[in-house]
Amino acid sequence: MSKRENETYAPLELLDSIQRNSSSVVLNPVLFNVKDYSYIWNNLKHNLRDYQMNAVANFHYGLNYKKWDWGLSSEKPNKNLIDQNHFMFWMATGSGKTDIMAALILYLYKEQGMQNFLFTTTLTSIIMKTEDNFLNPLSPKYLFNKEIWIDGHRVKINQVSTFAVSPESYTINILISNIDTLSNLVNHHDKEGIGQIGTTLYDFIDRDYVILADEAHHFNAATKGAGGAYEDTLDQLRNIGHKTYQLEFTATLNGMDGHSSIYKKYKDKVVDRFDLGEFSKARYSKRVLQIASNLTDEQKMMQGLLMNIARQLIARDKGIKGFKPIILFKSSTKSRSKQAHQEFVQLINTLDEETVNAALSEVESTNQNIKLITDAVQRIRKEKPLRIITMMQQQFSTIGDINDEKDTQFLDYVNTLESPDSPYRVVFAVEKLTEGWDVLNLFDIVKMDDSKVSKAATNREAQLVGRGARYYPFALPGESTPSYQRRFDKSGFESQLLETLLFHTIRMDKYIDNITKSYREIGLNVLINQDAATVYSTQLKKAVRNLPAWQHGVVFENQLRRTNKDDYQNLRDYGVQFSYTYDLRNQSLLQKIAQYDLNNTKDDETKRIIELSPRVLQHASYDLEFYRYQTLKYYLPGLRSLRNFFNDYVEPVQVKVTVDSDRQEIPVAEQLTIAKDYLNVLAAKIKKNYLKEVGTSSFSPVPIKERFNGYSRTLPDPKTLTDPKYSERVRNGLWFPFTKSIGDQEEQHFVDMIQNNIDTINNIIGPKRSFMLLRNDEVAHHVTIHEISGIRNYMPDFILIINGQDYSTVQFYLEPKGEQLKEKDTWKQDLLLKIEQISRIKGYAGEAKLYGLPFFSSNSSGSFKNKLLEKLNSIFATE
């Protein structure tokens, strides 16, 4: 078995001896002739790969070690390797360990007369999967042929809950149990035991059986010196039977460096090793590229979505049928995963052309050095944005949340997501899918937060990436069977995207260091592409914690409310218009749908005005999934029927159509095409503007000390002259509670402006009050205000708090904004300016007033300062 270049493994006594002698006469008379073991290969559903055949052969050699012909060898037999009954298979995630188990079951049945097999592991999901693998002939995951024939006899496979003293002839009995149940049985003599019949410890004594221990790295706590009931359980079971074998399987055998207790335990038991590096080198896995960037969670979501769509388009271009990539959004806590789930639903429901085009530009500029990504972006740009939006909204509407144990439908699908019958394209998870997940079509893992960067956390993430690296087999046109190996290593980047797992993560040095070490330990080859960045950190000043304003102060966030059918009386409540322009020459509505002036035509254009009646629109809707009653009813709670929708909600649509100059009429067939495009836009409008929860004018308090603390930000270094330049500046005085201000030039100019006017502000507010400028970090503090009667929200960069001794508070939400972003974020400024008029305080005993001001920019610093001071004067002038 080959080793990776420039890497030396610590000696593995059994495996090294097999490899040294496998091509010599030393193994006589036990040389492994594949033809002599046809009963294995003929009774398995899958053809074993070369390395899987090697694993079975190595086990044969190890089991028959004492039969080797040592007389012709310069090597002396190792007494520790004679009559072993404990073996370890150190195999990469996705290498098909369960296929090897199935082969070994047949081998041990035929060669050693073993009929009883006990499978155990730690995870319920693996238990469920293994029952399908070994016991359910109707499952697509079943590993044996429907009928098993050995030596002319049909052999049955039975699921049992106890091992009989004298098993029935020509049967293989499989008992499947989680390790907790076994541990209770062995260590506490649990009388309830396993299954309905009930197995006790005594039912194993003097029996012949084989233990198959999966994810065996969990069974080494005692060896590591950390207790270990599980390890003790297996040791006892292996030793109390009459004839027993213990076969362990894992991809994660850390610490095999030649010195650790784990190494000492397994150095003479590893019978096969095929780690992730070798697995990938043999092209049986996807490539793995980690994209470490400073994108926000929402931007990373869009990046993952766009790469998913690009794969589908590329697969379609190549004529590959049924190519179905999956995205996993990985969070560190259930609460963050739930929040990410909600953010994703909002993102999908509010997609429009502007969002998609902005995301494409962001992804392209952020990853300009990654040809794989930029080529994918260019492929997407060949499609109309409306097409991309439709694909996203249709395909990502069914979401799997592994954290929601009540979602039994998804739990049924969790190991068969590549099936054509599965409706899921996106999964939200915390830790449950780190092990035992056999989905092959996972192509994007998006790390949703940066709260956990410890070595233990990155070990789990590396293991998840290893599972995601499993190859997704597919057939090209003209191929009768799919390939299980990469074929595009030397092809263009578009093709390589179909065989590459992308791990979208944060850019933080400590995290990158830890994840790199975690990859190395499991032998996973990962290319990490990361932006040049700098980590900036600031702490809360110690004296601030003792201030009454900090101990008792609050900040305010406005509340949400659920929408109801009264919010939507007609389609105009969704922002829908009934007059549009359409260019029939390239069959597209204008990029920005807007009501038009019918008289506003150019001399060199030929225009035709048509009217799409509700009847025509209904006819055009027949093959559009959105226009089913149950779907429409979801978005229009007051809807009574489809006829009600087209007769009462939909108005006649006037369309000004641009045509070639020689066109006089627009046939009905083309009118239906226009109607269908209009209905697609209408559906997108309804989805975007249907709001499950909307912001209200009710603002509630949140204690400052519970939300604000020191924080760190990893910010990108500038690549071009126009990129923002970040810095950290020491700020003295308790008016700024953090030791340093962190931000770009615009933010630093803003803090400078406040600092330069400290005396003026104090004179205005008077001696009985104090003020404090809070930097509202999106990750650490996330004080959020919501659009009134809308679903958009954002976190203003700064909150200016003015507290009085009587617990009265005045607060300003303030936002520095570069000139290039002002137009895009106009709605945020509009929200700030409304707060004074509409805000109502709830849940606060003291007096509170809330204000917002226009955006600050360094170009208009003087004007902003004057507006702030004028507003403060007007508030406190009467005192």
Side-chain angles (χ1 to χ4, degrees), residues 62-90:
L63 199 61
N64 293 281
Y65 182 85
K66 66 181 178 182
K67 297 180 181 179
W68 291 14
D69 186 1
W70 294 102
L72 300 175
S73 174
S74 59
E75 182 178 344
K76 295 181 179 180
N78 184 333
K79 294 181 180 179
N80 294 332
L81 305 181
I82 296 176
D83 294 329
Q84 280 203 114
N85 67 342
H86 188 181
F87 300 90
M88 165 61 79
F89 293 81
W90 188 359

Side-chain angles (χ1 to χ4, degrees), residues 13 72 107 137 221 225 398 651 694 755 823 848 857:
E13 294 174 3
L72 300 175
Y107 173 91
T398 304
E651 301 175 18
V694 296
Q755 183 171 334
E823 182 177 352
S857 70

